Amino acid sequence: MFKTDTLSSTVSNDIIQVTRLSKIIENPPNRVEILRDVTFSVPRGQFLAIMGASGSGKSTLLGLIAGLDTVTSGSIVLDGTDITNMREDALARLRGRKIGFVFQSYQLVPTLTAEENILLPAELSGSNGDPRPRARNLLDRVGLSNRGHHYPVQLSGGEQQRVALARAFVTEPPILMADEPTGNLDSANGQHVLDLLLQLNREEKTTLILVTHDPRLAENADRIISLHDGRIFSDELARPPVSTGMEL
Ligand SMILES: Nc1ncnc2c1ncn2[C@@H]1O[C@H](COP(=O)(O)OP(=O)(O)OP(=O)(O)O)[C@@H](O)[C@H]1O
Ligand SMILES: [Mg+2]
């Protein structure tokens, strides 16, 4: 893959451009360099897996790209808009339109039903039209059409994560980010959530950024970026199908 010119952000096919990103926490006498000089771009529609040991900076990187945290230096351009020094209210609006986020610990609102949780981002973003049919459609799609009126505590972990996924997608954002979304699930439920993420990536052309420790999850990705001590250690595109040596 060739690198695109990061200056031509508005005409770029890259939906995310991260340039020389650093995150340093100064807490004298301590200074923690969490991310150092991280540069990469994500083409629209790509499924990117971010891997690395615990503490390598994966969640910090995802949080910065999602505008949930402030950078120390460097820049982040989301779909042509430089979010690096954006004001919080403008950033919140942009985040609502561009990004759906799935957390390891689901983070559903306990006092809202599954359906109300899914509706929440649509209501906050004031999107056009009645979002309820879309919420019900998503509930159906994640296999929970009969659980819309259940509260999170009445749902299993796998079911809660599927609600969280429907919530992340209700505004149909062009970017889905997921931080260890299957980390708390058994393998069957983890596979189900991964299948749903893959479906949104392939069928809806949603750009998918998945942080995971699990190589089996990452092997579904188009590309794997590995972090080591806050730096990019490797950045590899998925290999083309390997020859079995059995062909004529
Ligand atoms: N606010 C903070 N102040 C000081 N250090 C921090 C802060 N936030 C994160 N760190 C440190 O930054 C490093 C990276 O943290 P991060 O949560 O991004 O790692 P991670 O790769 O997501 O790890 P894990 O796989 O365990 O989730 C860790 O060493 C962490 O202790
Ligand atoms: Mg993490």
Side-chain angles (χ1 to χ4, degrees):
M1 193 178 68
F2 53 76
K3 240 174 129 9
T4 47
D5 177 5
T6 50
L7 295 175
S8 57
S9 60
T10 49
V11 293
S12 171
N13 182 44
D14 293 329
I15 193 160
I16 297 167
Q17 294 171 303
V18 174
T19 309
R20 308 212 63 178
L21 186 67
S22 291
K23 177 72 181 178
I24 298 167
I25 307 262
E26 299 270 10
N27 201 351
N30 299 314
R31 183 172 194 272
V32 187
E33 292 194 343
I34 302 179
L35 291 171
R36 282 183 277 185
D37 202 16
V38 169
T39 296
F40 65 96
S41 298
V42 183
R44 217 168 280 277
Q46 186 169 68
F47 173 7
L48 167 65
I50 298 179
M51 300 193 75
S54 180
S56 58
K58 305 180 298 296
S59 295
T60 305
L61 177 59
L62 216 58
L64 288 170
I65 298 171
L68 300 169
D69 194 1
T70 51
V71 311
T72 302
S73 61
S75 74
I76 298 168
V77 176
L78 276 191
D79 211 1
T81 304
D82 189 334
I83 67 160
T84 320
N85 296 308
M86 218 172 190
R87 279 187 26 199
E88 182 49 42
D89 51 345
L91 186 56
R93 275 197 304 277
L94 186 86
R95 193 191 301 134
R97 283 204 314 277
K98 301 286 182 196
I99 294 177
F101 209 105
V102 182
F103 301 88
Q104 177 170 353
S105 50
Y106 328 131
Q107 311 254 20
L108 298 177
V109 180
T111 53
L112 299 180
T113 64
E115 187 172 325
E116 288 164 350
N117 264 284
I118 296 171
L119 283 169
L120 199 58
E123 284 162 356
L124 290 176
S125 73
S127 58
N128 294 333
D130 182 358
R132 280 171 300 186
R134 205 162 59 243
R136 288 201 200 100
N137 178 274
L138 277 166
L139 262 174
D140 192 32
R141 207 159 158 181
V142 300
L144 293 173
S145 48
N146 56 349
R147 298 301 187 107
H149 300 298
H150 288 222
Y151 289 89
V153 70
Q154 300 171 307
L155 300 170
S156 74
E159 289 166 345
Q160 288 187 59
Q161 192 59 307
R162 282 184 273 149
V163 172
L165 185 49
R167 178 182 60 179
F169 200 67
V170 71
T171 56
E172 298 179 346
I175 306 167
L176 257 186
M177 295 187 172
D179 192 352
E180 307 255 13
T182 63
N184 285 333
L185 304 178
D186 63 28
S187 61
N189 275 298
Q191 187 63 46
H192 195 167
V193 166
L194 176 67
D195 288 344
L196 290 165
L197 285 166
L198 281 171
Q199 210 182 62
L200 292 176
N201 171 244
R202 289 178 185 156
E203 292 172 13
E204 314 284 343
K205 309 279 179 262
T206 309
T207 305
L208 174 60
I209 305 191
L210 174 76
V211 165
T212 181
H213 276 113
D214 187 344
R216 283 169 306 174
L217 246 64
E219 73 185 17
N220 293 280
D222 300 320
R223 173 185 181 191
I224 301 177
I225 288 182
S226 296
L227 294 180
H228 180 72
D229 280 348
R231 290 180 189 274
I232 292 186
F233 170 72
S234 66
D235 181 352
E236 290 173 342
L237 290 176
R239 285 180 294 273
V242 178
S243 163
T244 59
M246 301 290 282
E247 297 90 337
L248 289 176

